[in-house]
């Protein structure tokens, strides 16, 4: 059976009630009093300045509620204190707290990713609680609520080395401030296949890093930077950049993005770099962590698969064409 106070709230919102019944509902509806209001009611009763009806009218409650609060005060000698609304918060078990801390120390990932890993293990902990644990140990700070726009549809190549992204980034960390970082990122796996730190971005350095990269891609996506593409007419008259010449020689297709278009995946990488590099002693140490230790959020975080694992899993299978009769000659047997 519904409570009387719930019924009053329901009736109060009905427009067809007469003004008389609306006044009755307003007068006798159950109100949640603050501790300051309860203290005022008890003091008013003790001083004897107001009647029960006057106190009830001032606070918008029933006379019986005034009498109840005063009766409780007389029997206990303590003014009633309202309890907080809602369920009591259950503390996170110590073993789970330790696991949350260890996951963050190892992978430096957000509360939402830690939550996915824990849920895969059968531990259902809300992301808010995980974030609270990280705050308590100094691994996270309070941030303003983020506005979530429409969900992006992620596009990526099916195989590794199908497309690489390349871009330069001026490092902001005080230890290497003013130096420039160039990375080549595999589109399919997010694996950093090549990188380098230089005093200034040049086309020659772009080629040097590409030469040392782990493999050779089919295509490379870059912006209109002059280190990659001779965009201006006077530069174009001087000829191709070193970078363009190298791609032609190696039969790699260059894809140049629109002037107003950002290279989203590599920009996201640079964002992670600036947030996490402070935990490492060198850029090499960070790159090792990013490629081989940190599970990437673009894939199934529960499987803890790193960009390196995804890179090798998605390498295209190469067909081997061989004359079957050659097998007869193995070991000198004809």
């Amino acid at each position: 059976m519904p409570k009387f106070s719930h019924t009053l709230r329901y009736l109060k919102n009905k427009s067809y009630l007469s003004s008389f019944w609306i006044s009755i509902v307003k007068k006798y509806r159950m109100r949640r009093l603050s501790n300051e209001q309860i203290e005022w009611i008890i003091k008013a009763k003790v001083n004897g300045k107001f009647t029960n009806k006057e106190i009830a009218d001032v606070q918008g409650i029933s006379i019986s509620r005034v009498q109840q609060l005063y009766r409780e005060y007389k029997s206990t000698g303590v003014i009633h204190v309202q309890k907080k609304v809602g369920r009591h918060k259950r503390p996170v078990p110590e073993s789970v707290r330790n696991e949350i801390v260890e996951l963050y120390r190892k992978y430096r990932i957000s509360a939402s990713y830690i939550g996915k890993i824990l849920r895969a293990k059968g531990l259902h902990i809300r992301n808010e609680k995980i974030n609270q644990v990280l705050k308590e140990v100094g691994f996270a700070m309070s941030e303003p609520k983020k506005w979530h726009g429409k969900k992006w549809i992620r596009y990526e190549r099916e195989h590794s080395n199908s497309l690489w992204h390349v871009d330069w980034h001026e490092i902001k960390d005080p230890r290497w401030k003013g130096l420039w970082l160039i990375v080549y990122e595999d589109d399919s796996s997010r694996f950093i296949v090549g990188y380098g730190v230089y005093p200034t971005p040049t086309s020659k350095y772009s080629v040097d890093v590409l030469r040392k990269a782990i493999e050779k891609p089919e295509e490379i996506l870059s912006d209109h930077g002059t280190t990659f593409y001779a965009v201006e007419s006077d530069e174009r008259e001087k000829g191709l950049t070193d970078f363009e010449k190298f791609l032609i020689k190696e039969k790699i297709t260059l894809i140049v993005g629109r002037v107003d278009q950002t290279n989203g995946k590599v920009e996201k990488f640079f964002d992670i770099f600036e947030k996490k590099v402070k935990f490492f002693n060198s850029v090499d140490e960070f790159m090792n962590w990013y490629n081989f230790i940190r599970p990437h959020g673009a894939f199934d975080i529960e499987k803890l698969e790193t960009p390196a694992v995804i890179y090798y899993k998605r390498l295209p299978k190469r067909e081997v064409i061989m004359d079957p009769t050659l097998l007869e000659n193995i070991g000198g047997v004809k």
Side-chain angles (χ1 to χ4, degrees):
M1 187 173 179
K3 291 183 179 179
F4 179 65
S5 59
H6 293 171
T7 305
L8 289 175
R9 290 192 192 101
Y10 171 79
L11 290 173
K12 178 178 176 292
N13 294 324
K14 295 300 178 183
S15 59
Y16 54 77
L17 293 177
S18 66
S19 58
F20 169 76
W21 283 109
I22 290 176
S23 66
I24 294 297
V25 169
K26 285 183 177 179
K27 183 175 182 180
Y28 293 104
R29 74 184 188 275
M30 294 294 289
R31 278 189 62 188
R32 180 173 177 81
L33 298 169
S34 67
N35 291 325
E36 290 77 12
Q37 287 174 310
I38 294 174
E39 186 178 353
W40 182 88
I41 290 170
I42 299 303
K43 286 182 179 178
K45 285 288 294 177
V46 171
N47 295 334
K49 292 182 179 180
F50 302 99
T51 65
N52 287 340
K53 184 178 183 305
E54 289 171 336
I55 294 172
D57 287 341
V58 168
Q59 296 297 341
I61 58 177
S62 64
I63 295 174
S64 60
R65 178 62 172 152
V66 176
Q67 293 170 335
Q68 177 195 19
L69 291 170
Y70 188 60
R71 227 177 9 251
E72 181 181 335
Y73 169 73
K74 284 183 69 178
S75 62
T76 63
V78 178
I79 297 175
H80 178 86
V81 176
Q82 292 280 43
K83 295 179 181 179
K84 289 185 177 180
V85 180
R87 292 179 293 181
H88 294 291
K89 292 182 179 180
R90 294 181 181 178
V92 178
E94 193 64 26
S95 59
V96 178
R97 287 176 63 90
N98 292 337
E99 188 158 4
I100 291 170
V101 172
E102 286 305 311
L103 284 170
Y104 183 83
R105 279 181 176 154
K106 184 175 182 180
Y107 301 125
R108 303 289 176 180
I109 49 180
S110 65
S112 60
Y113 288 160
I114 292 174
K116 289 181 180 180
I117 295 172
L118 293 178
R119 284 189 284 275
K121 296 181 178 181
L123 299 171
H124 294 275
I125 309 294
R126 289 167 52 230
N127 294 341
E128 292 82 358
K129 283 198 171 185
I130 295 172
N131 197 51
Q132 186 60 42
V133 171
L134 295 178
K135 284 181 184 177
E136 290 170 4
V137 296
F139 288 157
M141 297 186 300
S142 298
E143 293 184 356
K145 289 186 178 180
K146 297 178 181 178
W147 180 82
H148 296 280
K150 69 175 184 178
K151 191 174 181 180
W152 291 98
I153 299 174
R154 191 175 74 242
Y155 171 78
E156 62 196 18
R157 294 292 177 92
E158 182 180 358
H159 297 296
S160 301
N161 299 330
S162 172
L163 173 69
W164 288 1
H165 300 263
V166 62
D167 205 356
W168 285 89
H169 172 74
E170 187 175 7
I171 301 176
K172 297 179 178 62
D173 189 283
R175 293 169 293 177
W176 306 288
K177 191 173 180 62
L179 295 179
W180 288 78
L181 170 67
I182 179 176
V183 297
Y184 288 88
E185 181 181 25
D186 180 63
D187 182 84
S188 179
S189 63
R190 313 303 198 276
F191 185 66
I192 302 303
V193 291
Y195 67 93
V197 177
Y198 296 94
T200 184
T202 67
S203 187
K204 180 182 179 302
Y205 291 148
S206 303
V207 173
D208 288 345
V209 175
L210 185 54
R211 285 182 192 275
K212 299 172 186 175
I214 190 171
E215 269 281 358
K216 186 173 75 172
E218 297 173 13
E219 299 174 328
I220 289 181
L221 174 63
S222 78
D223 58 17
H224 280 249
T226 54
T227 55
F228 307 120
Y229 177 74
V231 62
E232 300 296 339
S233 58
D234 57 338
E235 292 293 330
R236 183 57 71 185
E237 288 175 5
K238 295 177 185 177
L240 301 174
T241 63
D242 292 341
F243 183 74
E244 290 175 290
K245 291 174 184 176
F246 180 80
L247 295 191
I248 293 172
K249 179 183 175 183
E250 296 296 324
K251 299 180 181 178
I252 300 172
T253 303
L254 175 63
I255 302 173
V256 181
R258 297 194 307 267
V259 176
D260 59 344
Q261 181 183 13
T262 57
N263 198 336
K265 288 177 183 175
V266 76
E267 288 295 334
K268 177 62 179 175
F269 167 80
F270 288 138
D271 181 58
I272 295 172
F273 174 81
E274 290 295 349
K275 287 179 179 178
K276 306 297 183 182
V277 75
K278 61 186 176 184
F279 299 112
F280 302 93
N281 297 318
S282 67
V283 175
D284 292 337
E285 190 180 324
F286 167 84
M287 291 296 179
N288 181 72
W289 168 80
Y290 180 87
N291 275 338
F292 300 100
I293 298 175
R294 176 187 183 268
H296 204 292
F299 313 109
D300 291 333
I301 195 80
E302 299 91 340
K303 295 181 180 179
L304 300 178
E305 291 182 324
T306 62
V309 170
I310 299 295
Y311 176 81
Y312 285 104
K313 279 177 65 174
R314 294 187 177 183
L315 283 172
K317 293 181 175 62
R318 292 181 172 87
E319 296 181 359
V320 179
I321 302 174
M322 183 174 64
D323 184 354
T325 59
L326 295 176
L327 296 173
E328 300 175 5
N329 299 325
I330 294 178
V333 179
K334 195 169 183 178

